[in-house]
Amino acid sequence: MSTVLAPKAQLPDVAGQVTFAMRSMGVAPIPRNYELFYEAYIGSNPALTRELAALGSNATQEELDKIGAQYSSHNAGVVFDHAHSRIISELDSVLRVLKQEQSSLASYNKLLGETVNRINSKTTTSTELLSSAIDILSEATGFTMAHGEKTVENVAQRSQEMDLVRKELDEYKRIANTDSLTRLSNRRAFDDRLANVFDNPMTKPVTALVLADIDHFKKINDTYGHPVGDKILATVASVIRSNVRRDVFVARTGGEEFALIIEGNTTDEVTAICERIRRTLEATPFKNSRTRIDYGPVTISLGICMGSEAADPGELYSNADTALYIAKNSGRNCSSLYQQGMQRDFSKSWLIYKG
């Protein structure tokens, strides 16, 4: 799916198209259904798109949820509800342990007070009484210390349980923000990262957004089929990832669309990075080792916008998309740097998940 060449008047309203498709299939307009149809619309998961299309106009909620459990965020509600319940349970256990410890200490303090009073009493002259008090205190002290050790052990165990829940949630978040085909970050993760890209004004001049689009990808899919297209997408993703530093954010944001957020580099350095990606991909062979069919050449067009050329994340995205449009219009297989005055005759929403 490619939108960079479409003029403004022809660009689809993503939310409207998704809502229309759901209405046409009689699908309830609830968030988890919308997420499924949005992912299918942008083409980030061809298998999901095909499975939804196969349901036709009689899709049941049970069928949609079954697909959702497989493709969409790994059943977010169930995961979070389960994790929330476990955390609440562990916290309740910790509070009960601490209350028991508080009660034990209160009893011990009371015993200490009573023993001191007995020792200070003028009627206390018996050495046997003093010895008895010492025995009572020794026994009580030993019990309190043992109880305290048990409390520490229980609290540590509960802390470990809560840490396991946290790690499970971290893993869920990683999976939910990862594109299943390319193993890059997905559109959801990109939206979150882009929303915070200007948090530090000092880094704005050395922050860049790069939007990339595989050239003539629809033709590749139409000619060789989606399985070949999927393999090409995975290879392109690997080429991009291997040609940038590990701290560069790379995401697959649509069917054949990718995005990079590069921080800490000048305009010339960012341009050089993009050219390195483009040249490496251009030189990468795309052949079937068994049939010897040559699927190439596969090339990519890139649009670059530096943070200093935008007032906010939305404008940064729009400017990078404009530069990508120019690269496509200039013959493809090239990089284009956004500059003031570039024609902007279309727009594209960048934060579909906001809210």
Side-chain angles (χ1 to χ4, degrees):
M1 170 184 169
S2 180
T3 58
V4 293
L5 295 180
K8 185 174 183 179
Q10 296 177 358
L11 275 175
D13 171 17
V14 175
Q17 291 283 2
V18 171
T19 304
F20 176 78
M22 293 171 63
R23 190 185 306 119
S24 299
M25 294 179 65
V27 173
I30 56 179
R32 66 178 185 271
N33 289 344
Y34 180 88
E35 181 180 353
L36 276 178
F37 277 78
Y38 172 78
E39 295 288 351
Y41 180 85
I42 66 173
S44 62
N45 192 324
L48 167 62
T49 303
R50 292 193 290 271
E51 288 205 29
L52 278 182
L55 292 179
S57 58
N58 298 311
T60 66
Q61 190 59 53
E62 183 179 357
E63 291 173 324
L64 291 170
D65 287 342
K66 184 177 180 181
I67 294 176
Q70 182 179 358
Y71 293 107
S72 179
S73 302
H74 296 264
N75 229 349
V78 174
V79 172
F80 277 114
D81 288 346
H82 179 63
H84 181 264
S85 298
R86 286 179 59 190
I87 289 174
I88 293 299
S89 175
E90 296 301 335
L91 286 175
D92 284 343
S93 298
V94 169
L95 289 175
R96 284 197 299 270
V97 169
L98 292 178
K99 285 179 180 178
Q100 291 172 2
E101 175 69 2
Q102 182 183 30
S103 175
S104 176
L105 289 175
S107 299
Y108 182 60
N109 286 336
K110 182 179 179 181
L111 177 61
L112 285 177
E114 292 175 352
T115 305
V116 168
N117 289 335
R118 291 177 66 184
I119 293 174
N120 290 335
S121 173
K122 294 180 179 179
T123 62
T124 305
T125 58
S126 171
T127 57
E128 289 79 8
L129 179 61
L130 181 58
S131 176
S132 176
I134 292 173
D135 289 342
I136 293 173
L137 286 176
S138 297
E139 182 178 355
T141 301
F143 171 79
T144 303
M145 290 177 65
H147 187 81
E149 291 175 358
K150 185 66 174 178
T151 299
V152 171
E153 180 182 342
N154 286 338
V155 171
Q157 182 179 353
R158 300 303 175 187
S159 297
Q160 289 175 357
E161 290 292 330
M162 286 188 284
D163 189 51
L164 286 176
V165 176
R166 179 190 62 78
K167 289 178 179 177
E168 287 179 12
L169 288 176
D170 287 345
E171 177 63 10
Y172 161 75
K173 182 178 180 181
R174 185 193 67 79
I175 293 172
N177 287 337
T178 300
D179 176 63
S180 59
L181 176 63
T182 63
R183 312 313 300 166
L184 299 176
S185 296
N186 60 16
R187 178 60 185 255
R188 183 182 296 102
F190 169 71
D191 287 345
D192 289 342
R193 184 65 172 263
L194 185 61
N196 301 317
V197 76
F198 286 161
D199 284 356
N200 183 359
M202 299 298 293
T203 63
K204 190 175 176 180
V206 288
T207 297
L209 172 62
V210 178
L211 298 182
D213 187 277
I214 301 175
D215 298 325
H216 302 298
F217 188 71
K218 184 178 184 302
K219 182 179 178 181
I220 294 172
N221 270 339
D222 291 345
T223 303
Y224 302 111
H226 288 283
V228 171
D230 288 352
K231 290 181 180 179
I232 288 176
L233 282 169
T235 301
V236 171
S238 178
V239 168
I240 294 174
R241 180 74 269 177
S242 63
N243 276 277
V244 296
R245 301 187 313 268
R246 292 191 59 170
D247 64 329
V248 172
F249 178 85
V250 185
R252 180 188 175 203
T253 56
E256 70 271 29
E257 300 171 356
F258 299 86
L260 298 84
I261 296 177
I262 304 174
E263 298 173 309
N265 290 96
T266 65
T267 302
D268 288 343
E269 290 169 342
V270 171
T271 301
I273 291 170
C274 291
E275 279 299 292
R276 182 170 66 242
I277 293 171
R278 187 191 64 78
R279 289 194 301 268
T280 302
L281 184 62
E282 184 181 34
T284 300
F286 288 85
K287 291 183 179 181
N288 187 311
S289 58
R290 183 175 58 84
T291 65
R292 309 307 299 171
I293 295 176
D294 190 345
Y295 305 123
V298 176
T299 61
I300 198 168
S301 299
L302 305 100
I304 308 163
C305 183
M306 300 300 296
S308 54
E309 296 294 329
D312 54 51
E315 187 175 18
L316 180 66
Y317 184 92
S318 178
N319 291 348
D321 213 16
T322 297
L324 176 58
Y325 174 84
I326 297 298
K328 289 286 188 179
N329 240 15
S330 299
R332 297 179 173 82
N333 191 24
C334 64
S335 302
S336 175
L337 176 66
Y338 176 81
Q339 297 175 340
Q340 292 293 332
M342 279 187 170
Q343 185 179 2
R344 294 171 58 183
D345 59 353
F346 66 97
S347 62
K348 197 160 65 174
S349 174
W350 67 275
L351 199 54
I352 193 70
Y353 285 105
K354 187 175 183 181

